[in-house]
PDB file of all heavy atoms in Angstrom:
ATOM      1  N   CYS A   1     102.693  86.259 100.934  1.00 98.00           N
ATOM      2  CA  CYS A   1     102.413  87.273 101.970  1.00 98.00           C
ATOM      3  C   CYS A   1     103.152  86.973 103.275  1.00 98.00           C
ATOM      4  O   CYS A   1     103.582  85.759 103.373  1.00 98.00           O
ATOM      5  CB  CYS A   1     100.895  87.289 102.190  1.00 98.00           C
ATOM      6  SG  CYS A   1     100.195  85.893 102.978  1.00 98.00           S
ATOM      7  N   ALA A   2     103.327  87.850 104.072  1.00 98.00           N
ATOM      8  CA  ALA A   2     104.178  87.647 105.219  1.00 98.00           C
ATOM      9  C   ALA A   2     103.720  88.655 106.376  1.00 98.00           C
ATOM     10  O   ALA A   2     103.148  89.702 106.145  1.00 98.00           O
ATOM     11  CB  ALA A   2     105.597  87.897 104.916  1.00 98.00           C
ATOM     12  N   VAL A   3     104.052  88.191 107.626  1.00 97.00           N
ATOM     13  CA  VAL A   3     103.751  89.028 108.745  1.00 97.00           C
ATOM     14  C   VAL A   3     105.048  89.225 109.496  1.00 97.00           C
ATOM     15  O   VAL A   3     105.874  88.326 109.680  1.00 97.00           O
ATOM     16  CB  VAL A   3     102.730  88.236 109.672  1.00 97.00           C
ATOM     17  CG1 VAL A   3     102.446  89.188 110.938  1.00 97.00           C
ATOM     18  CG2 VAL A   3     101.453  87.971 108.906  1.00 97.00           C
ATOM     19  N   SER A   4     105.203  90.503 110.008  1.00 95.00           N
ATOM     20  CA  SER A   4     106.492  90.853 110.640  1.00 95.00           C
ATOM     21  C   SER A   4     106.648  90.235 112.032  1.00 95.00           C
ATOM     22  O   SER A   4     105.633  89.828 112.699  1.00 95.00           O
ATOM     23  CB  SER A   4     106.623  92.334 110.738  1.00 95.00           C
ATOM     24  OG  SER A   4     105.660  92.861 111.660  1.00 95.00           O
ATOM     25  N   ARG A   5     107.899  89.964 112.413  1.00 92.00           N
ATOM     26  CA  ARG A   5     108.210  89.440 113.678  1.00 92.00           C
ATOM     27  C   ARG A   5     107.912  90.356 114.822  1.00 92.00           C
ATOM     28  O   ARG A   5     107.309  90.001 115.824  1.00 92.00           O
ATOM     29  CB  ARG A   5     109.696  89.030 113.701  1.00 92.00           C
ATOM     30  CG  ARG A   5     110.127  88.447 115.002  1.00 92.00           C
ATOM     31  CD  ARG A   5     111.635  88.019 114.919  1.00 92.00           C
ATOM     32  NE  ARG A   5     111.844  87.057 113.842  1.00 92.00           N
ATOM     33  CZ  ARG A   5     112.368  87.207 112.693  1.00 92.00           C
ATOM     34  NH1 ARG A   5     112.757  88.539 112.377  1.00 92.00           N
ATOM     35  NH2 ARG A   5     112.553  86.300 111.890  1.00 92.00           N
ATOM     36  N   GLU A   6     108.151  91.659 114.589  1.00 89.00           N
ATOM     37  CA  GLU A   6     107.989  92.669 115.582  1.00 89.00           C
ATOM     38  C   GLU A   6     106.740  93.490 115.376  1.00 89.00           C
ATOM     39  O   GLU A   6     106.209  93.451 114.227  1.00 89.00           O
ATOM     40  CB  GLU A   6     109.182  93.648 115.649  1.00 89.00           C
ATOM     41  CG  GLU A   6     110.545  92.938 115.850  1.00 89.00           C
ATOM     42  CD  GLU A   6     110.647  92.426 117.202  1.00 89.00           C
ATOM     43  OE1 GLU A   6     109.937  92.807 118.153  1.00 89.00           O
ATOM     44  OE2 GLU A   6     111.487  91.416 117.379  1.00 89.00           O
ATOM     45  N   THR A   7     106.180  94.133 116.327  1.00 89.00           N
ATOM     46  CA  THR A   7     105.094  95.056 116.120  1.00 89.00           C
ATOM     47  C   THR A   7     105.505  96.196 115.222  1.00 89.00           C
ATOM     48  O   THR A   7     106.740  96.557 115.098  1.00 89.00           O
ATOM     49  CB  THR A   7     104.529  95.586 117.466  1.00 89.00           C
ATOM     50  OG1 THR A   7     105.634  96.272 118.139  1.00 89.00           O
ATOM     51  CG2 THR A   7     104.051  94.362 118.285  1.00 89.00           C
ATOM     52  N   SER A   8     104.639  96.858 114.600  1.00 89.00           N
ATOM     53  CA  SER A   8     104.854  97.987 113.696  1.00 89.00           C
ATOM     54  C   SER A   8     105.657  99.059 114.522  1.00 89.00           C
ATOM     55  O   SER A   8     105.354  99.393 115.686  1.00 89.00           O
ATOM     56  CB  SER A   8     103.554  98.618 113.189  1.00 89.00           C
ATOM     57  OG  SER A   8     102.936  97.672 112.389  1.00 89.00           O
ATOM     58  N   SER A   9     106.697  99.608 113.720  1.00 88.00           N
ATOM     59  CA  SER A   9     107.401 100.764 114.333  1.00 88.00           C
ATOM     60  C   SER A   9     106.679 102.058 113.933  1.00 88.00           C
ATOM     61  O   SER A   9     105.666 102.117 113.341  1.00 88.00           O
ATOM     62  CB  SER A   9     108.753 100.740 113.749  1.00 88.00           C
ATOM     63  OG  SER A   9     108.825 101.112 112.445  1.00 88.00           O
ATOM     64  N   TRP A  10     107.309 103.191 114.410  1.00 85.00           N
ATOM     65  CA  TRP A  10     106.784 104.445 114.069  1.00 85.00           C
ATOM     66  C   TRP A  10     107.277 104.936 112.751  1.00 85.00           C
ATOM     67  O   TRP A  10     106.797 106.019 112.245  1.00 85.00           O
ATOM     68  CB  TRP A  10     107.153 105.489 115.129  1.00 85.00           C
ATOM     69  CG  TRP A  10     106.504 105.202 116.498  1.00 85.00           C
ATOM     70  CD1 TRP A  10     107.010 104.608 117.574  1.00 85.00           C
ATOM     71  CD2 TRP A  10     105.090 105.448 116.720  1.00 85.00           C
ATOM     72  NE1 TRP A  10     106.095 104.588 118.525  1.00 85.00           N
ATOM     73  CE2 TRP A  10     104.888 104.974 118.125  1.00 85.00           C
ATOM     74  CE3 TRP A  10     104.040 105.957 116.015  1.00 85.00           C
ATOM     75  CZ2 TRP A  10     103.625 105.096 118.667  1.00 85.00           C
ATOM     76  CZ3 TRP A  10     102.798 106.077 116.624  1.00 85.00           C
ATOM     77  CH2 TRP A  10     102.665 105.595 117.960  1.00 85.00           C
ATOM     78  N   SER A  11     108.173 104.202 112.149  1.00 89.00           N
ATOM     79  CA  SER A  11     108.697 104.718 110.752  1.00 89.00           C
ATOM     80  C   SER A  11     107.929 103.812 109.711  1.00 89.00           C
ATOM     81  O   SER A  11     106.851 103.170 109.975  1.00 89.00           O
ATOM     82  CB  SER A  11     110.139 104.563 110.638  1.00 89.00           C
ATOM     83  OG  SER A  11     110.550 103.200 110.884  1.00 89.00           O
ATOM     84  N   ASP A  12     108.501 103.737 108.499  1.00 92.00           N
ATOM     85  CA  ASP A  12     107.989 103.029 107.399  1.00 92.00           C
ATOM     86  C   ASP A  12     107.941 101.507 107.692  1.00 92.00           C
ATOM     87  O   ASP A  12     108.754 100.995 108.435  1.00 92.00           O
ATOM     88  CB  ASP A  12     108.724 103.200 106.116  1.00 92.00           C
ATOM     89  CG  ASP A  12     108.570 104.636 105.580  1.00 92.00           C
ATOM     90  OD1 ASP A  12     107.562 105.303 106.034  1.00 92.00           O
ATOM     91  OD2 ASP A  12     109.378 105.070 104.795  1.00 92.00           O
ATOM     92  N   PRO A  13     107.010 100.800 107.047  1.00 95.00           N
ATOM     93  CA  PRO A  13     106.866  99.429 107.355  1.00 95.00           C
ATOM     94  C   PRO A  13     108.156  98.635 106.921  1.00 95.00           C
ATOM     95  O   PRO A  13     108.916  99.159 106.061  1.00 95.00           O
ATOM     96  CB  PRO A  13     105.815  98.960 106.403  1.00 95.00           C
ATOM     97  CG  PRO A  13     104.908 100.146 106.216  1.00 95.00           C
ATOM     98  CD  PRO A  13     105.872 101.324 106.229  1.00 95.00           C
ATOM     99  N   PHE A  14     108.431  97.506 107.496  1.00 95.00           N
ATOM    100  CA  PHE A  14     109.538  96.679 107.227  1.00 95.00           C
ATOM    101  C   PHE A  14     109.589  96.207 105.757  1.00 95.00           C
ATOM    102  O   PHE A  14     108.602  95.767 105.248  1.00 95.00           O
ATOM    103  CB  PHE A  14     109.663  95.503 108.078  1.00 95.00           C
ATOM    104  CG  PHE A  14     109.661  95.823 109.605  1.00 95.00           C
ATOM    105  CD1 PHE A  14     108.591  95.382 110.407  1.00 95.00           C
ATOM    106  CD2 PHE A  14     110.634  96.558 110.167  1.00 95.00           C
ATOM    107  CE1 PHE A  14     108.525  95.708 111.746  1.00 95.00           C
ATOM    108  CE2 PHE A  14     110.617  96.871 111.550  1.00 95.00           C
ATOM    109  CZ  PHE A  14     109.493  96.397 112.313  1.00 95.00           C
ATOM    110  N   SER A  15     110.723  96.309 105.120  1.00 96.00           N
ATOM    111  CA  SER A  15     110.922  95.740 103.787  1.00 96.00           C
ATOM    112  C   SER A  15     111.898  94.578 103.672  1.00 96.00           C
ATOM    113  O   SER A  15     112.002  93.966 102.623  1.00 96.00           O
ATOM    114  CB  SER A  15     111.374  96.888 102.867  1.00 96.00           C
ATOM    115  OG  SER A  15     112.558  97.458 103.241  1.00 96.00           O
ATOM    116  N   GLU A  16     112.596  94.348 104.812  1.00 96.00           N
ATOM    117  CA  GLU A  16     113.608  93.296 104.736  1.00 96.00           C
ATOM    118  C   GLU A  16     112.934  91.960 105.007  1.00 96.00           C
ATOM    119  O   GLU A  16     112.182  91.830 105.869  1.00 96.00           O
ATOM    120  CB  GLU A  16     114.655  93.523 105.827  1.00 96.00           C
ATOM    121  CG  GLU A  16     115.385  94.895 105.727  1.00 96.00           C
ATOM    122  CD  GLU A  16     114.571  96.026 106.434  1.00 96.00           C
ATOM    123  OE1 GLU A  16     113.514  95.694 107.036  1.00 96.00           O
ATOM    124  OE2 GLU A  16     115.000  97.113 106.280  1.00 96.00           O
ATOM    125  N   ILE A  17     113.397  90.901 104.274  1.00 97.00           N
ATOM    126  CA  ILE A  17     112.822  89.653 104.440  1.00 97.00           C
ATOM    127  C   ILE A  17     113.110  89.109 105.859  1.00 97.00           C
ATOM    128  O   ILE A  17     112.188  88.440 106.490  1.00 97.00           O
ATOM    129  CB  ILE A  17     113.488  88.708 103.432  1.00 97.00           C
ATOM    130  CG1 ILE A  17     113.036  89.031 102.007  1.00 97.00           C
ATOM    131  CG2 ILE A  17     113.231  87.206 103.799  1.00 97.00           C
ATOM    132  CD1 ILE A  17     113.670  88.212 100.972  1.00 97.00           C
ATOM    133  N   SER A  18     114.183  89.464 106.444  1.00 97.00           N
ATOM    134  CA  SER A  18     114.546  88.982 107.829  1.00 97.00           C
ATOM    135  C   SER A  18     113.539  89.562 108.817  1.00 97.00           C
ATOM    136  O   SER A  18     113.590  89.054 109.971  1.00 97.00           O
ATOM    137  CB  SER A  18     115.926  89.361 108.093  1.00 97.00           C
ATOM    138  OG  SER A  18     116.196  90.755 108.014  1.00 97.00           O
ATOM    139  N   SER A  19     112.837  90.616 108.545  1.00 96.00           N
ATOM    140  CA  SER A  19     111.893  91.236 109.521  1.00 96.00           C
ATOM    141  C   SER A  19     110.609  90.483 109.550  1.00 96.00           C
ATOM    142  O   SER A  19     109.795  90.727 110.454  1.00 96.00           O
ATOM    143  CB  SER A  19     111.629  92.657 109.186  1.00 96.00           C
ATOM    144  OG  SER A  19     112.823  93.420 109.170  1.00 96.00           O
ATOM    145  N   TYR A  20     110.482  89.496 108.682  1.00 97.00           N
ATOM    146  CA  TYR A  20     109.154  88.715 108.679  1.00 97.00           C
ATOM    147  C   TYR A  20     109.322  87.301 109.061  1.00 97.00           C
ATOM    148  O   TYR A  20     110.228  86.611 108.690  1.00 97.00           O
ATOM    149  CB  TYR A  20     108.567  88.839 107.240  1.00 97.00           C
ATOM    150  CG  TYR A  20     108.029  90.216 106.876  1.00 97.00           C
ATOM    151  CD1 TYR A  20     108.995  91.205 106.454  1.00 97.00           C
ATOM    152  CD2 TYR A  20     106.759  90.504 107.072  1.00 97.00           C
ATOM    153  CE1 TYR A  20     108.562  92.492 106.163  1.00 97.00           C
ATOM    154  CE2 TYR A  20     106.305  91.890 106.691  1.00 97.00           C
ATOM    155  CZ  TYR A  20     107.239  92.792 106.327  1.00 97.00           C
ATOM    156  OH  TYR A  20     106.780  94.023 106.047  1.00 97.00           O
ATOM    157  N   SER A  21     108.422  86.885 109.955  1.00 96.00           N
ATOM    158  CA  SER A  21     108.607  85.530 110.488  1.00 96.00           C
ATOM    159  C   SER A  21     107.494  84.520 110.082  1.00 96.00           C
ATOM    160  O   SER A  21     107.757  83.369 110.248  1.00 96.00           O
ATOM    161  CB  SER A  21     108.628  85.589 112.061  1.00 96.00           C
ATOM    162  OG  SER A  21     107.421  86.176 112.469  1.00 96.00           O
ATOM    163  N   TYR A  22     106.481  85.029 109.560  1.00 96.00           N
ATOM    164  CA  TYR A  22     105.320  84.146 109.148  1.00 96.00           C
ATOM    165  C   TYR A  22     105.204  84.270 107.638  1.00 96.00           C
ATOM    166  O   TYR A  22     105.045  85.451 107.169  1.00 96.00           O
ATOM    167  CB  TYR A  22     104.029  84.397 109.861  1.00 96.00           C
ATOM    168  CG  TYR A  22     104.045  84.141 111.292  1.00 96.00           C
ATOM    169  CD1 TYR A  22     104.182  85.176 112.245  1.00 96.00           C
ATOM    170  CD2 TYR A  22     104.060  82.818 111.870  1.00 96.00           C
ATOM    171  CE1 TYR A  22     104.177  84.988 113.563  1.00 96.00           C
ATOM    172  CE2 TYR A  22     104.108  82.551 113.197  1.00 96.00           C
ATOM    173  CZ  TYR A  22     104.158  83.651 114.070  1.00 96.00           C
ATOM    174  OH  TYR A  22     104.223  83.458 115.445  1.00 96.00           O
ATOM    175  N   TRP A  23     105.193  83.202 106.884  1.00 98.00           N
ATOM    176  CA  TRP A  23     105.004  83.238 105.425  1.00 98.00           C
ATOM    177  C   TRP A  23     103.876  82.297 104.914  1.00 98.00           C
ATOM    178  O   TRP A  23     103.655  81.148 105.450  1.00 98.00           O
ATOM    179  CB  TRP A  23     106.376  82.784 104.786  1.00 98.00           C
ATOM    180  CG  TRP A  23     107.429  83.734 105.045  1.00 98.00           C
ATOM    181  CD1 TRP A  23     108.279  83.813 106.149  1.00 98.00           C
ATOM    182  CD2 TRP A  23     107.898  84.852 104.259  1.00 98.00           C
ATOM    183  NE1 TRP A  23     109.134  84.817 106.144  1.00 98.00           N
ATOM    184  CE2 TRP A  23     108.977  85.544 104.920  1.00 98.00           C
ATOM    185  CE3 TRP A  23     107.428  85.355 103.007  1.00 98.00           C
ATOM    186  CZ2 TRP A  23     109.604  86.621 104.347  1.00 98.00           C
ATOM    187  CZ3 TRP A  23     108.092  86.461 102.472  1.00 98.00           C
ATOM    188  CH2 TRP A  23     109.186  87.137 103.151  1.00 98.00           C
ATOM    189  N   GLY A  24     103.307  82.689 103.840  1.00 97.00           N
ATOM    190  CA  GLY A  24     102.410  81.805 103.116  1.00 97.00           C
ATOM    191  C   GLY A  24     103.110  80.976 102.239  1.00 97.00           C
ATOM    192  O   GLY A  24     104.293  81.005 102.025  1.00 97.00           O
ATOM    193  N   GLN A  25     102.302  80.005 101.532  1.00 97.00           N
ATOM    194  CA  GLN A  25     102.960  79.092 100.609  1.00 97.00           C
ATOM    195  C   GLN A  25     103.107  79.638  99.128  1.00 97.00           C
ATOM    196  O   GLN A  25     103.887  79.092  98.417  1.00 97.00           O
ATOM    197  CB  GLN A  25     102.118  77.822 100.522  1.00 97.00           C
ATOM    198  CG  GLN A  25     100.936  77.924  99.555  1.00 97.00           C
ATOM    199  CD  GLN A  25      99.820  78.866  99.982  1.00 97.00           C
ATOM    200  OE1 GLN A  25      99.740  79.290 101.166  1.00 97.00           O
ATOM    201  NE2 GLN A  25      98.916  79.241  99.062  1.00 97.00           N
ATOM    202  N   GLY A  26     102.604  80.853  98.928  1.00 97.00           N
ATOM    203  CA  GLY A  26     102.710  81.521  97.629  1.00 97.00           C
ATOM    204  C   GLY A  26     101.657  81.179  96.667  1.00 97.00           C
ATOM    205  O   GLY A  26     100.916  80.200  96.687  1.00 97.00           O
ATOM    206  N   THR A  27     101.477  82.193  95.799  1.00 98.00           N
ATOM    207  CA  THR A  27     100.490  82.013  94.652  1.00 98.00           C
ATOM    208  C   THR A  27     101.209  82.564  93.392  1.00 98.00           C
ATOM    209  O   THR A  27     101.808  83.524  93.366  1.00 98.00           O
ATOM    210  CB  THR A  27      99.153  82.805  94.969  1.00 98.00           C
ATOM    211  OG1 THR A  27      98.238  82.512  93.935  1.00 98.00           O
ATOM    212  CG2 THR A  27      99.371  84.336  95.095  1.00 98.00           C
ATOM    213  N   GLN A  28     101.008  81.770  92.315  1.00 98.00           N
ATOM    214  CA  GLN A  28     101.601  82.079  91.080  1.00 98.00           C
ATOM    215  C   GLN A  28     100.908  83.168  90.270  1.00 98.00           C
ATOM    216  O   GLN A  28      99.671  83.037  90.100  1.00 98.00           O
ATOM    217  CB  GLN A  28     101.751  80.861  90.197  1.00 98.00           C
ATOM    218  CG  GLN A  28     102.382  81.107  88.792  1.00 98.00           C
ATOM    219  CD  GLN A  28     103.837  81.352  88.880  1.00 98.00           C
ATOM    220  OE1 GLN A  28     104.620  80.724  89.582  1.00 98.00           O
ATOM    221  NE2 GLN A  28     104.325  82.443  88.173  1.00 98.00           N
ATOM    222  N   VAL A  29     101.638  84.170  89.842  1.00 98.00           N
ATOM    223  CA  VAL A  29     101.096  85.184  88.994  1.00 98.00           C
ATOM    224  C   VAL A  29     101.931  85.048  87.644  1.00 98.00           C
ATOM    225  O   VAL A  29     103.148  85.250  87.729  1.00 98.00           O
ATOM    226  CB  VAL A  29     101.194  86.564  89.599  1.00 98.00           C
ATOM    227  CG1 VAL A  29     100.857  87.642  88.580  1.00 98.00           C
ATOM    228  CG2 VAL A  29     100.314  86.675  90.806  1.00 98.00           C
TER     229      VAL A  29
END
């Protein structure tokens, strides 16, 4: 999971990895 660096825009949510600055450690599926 990740949280974006910037606040939400008026268009679709960010999909680029570079737009996200906080990341979890991951969970295996």
Side-chain angles (χ1 to χ4, degrees):
C1 68
V3 178
S4 67
R5 179 176 299 104
E6 305 293 336
T7 57
S8 294
S9 71
W10 291 104
S11 61
D12 288 341
F14 303 116
S15 62
E16 304 82 7
I17 291 175
S18 59
S19 295
Y20 290 81
S21 57
Y22 297 103
W23 294 86
Q25 83 291 346
T27 185
Q28 176 70 45
V29 172

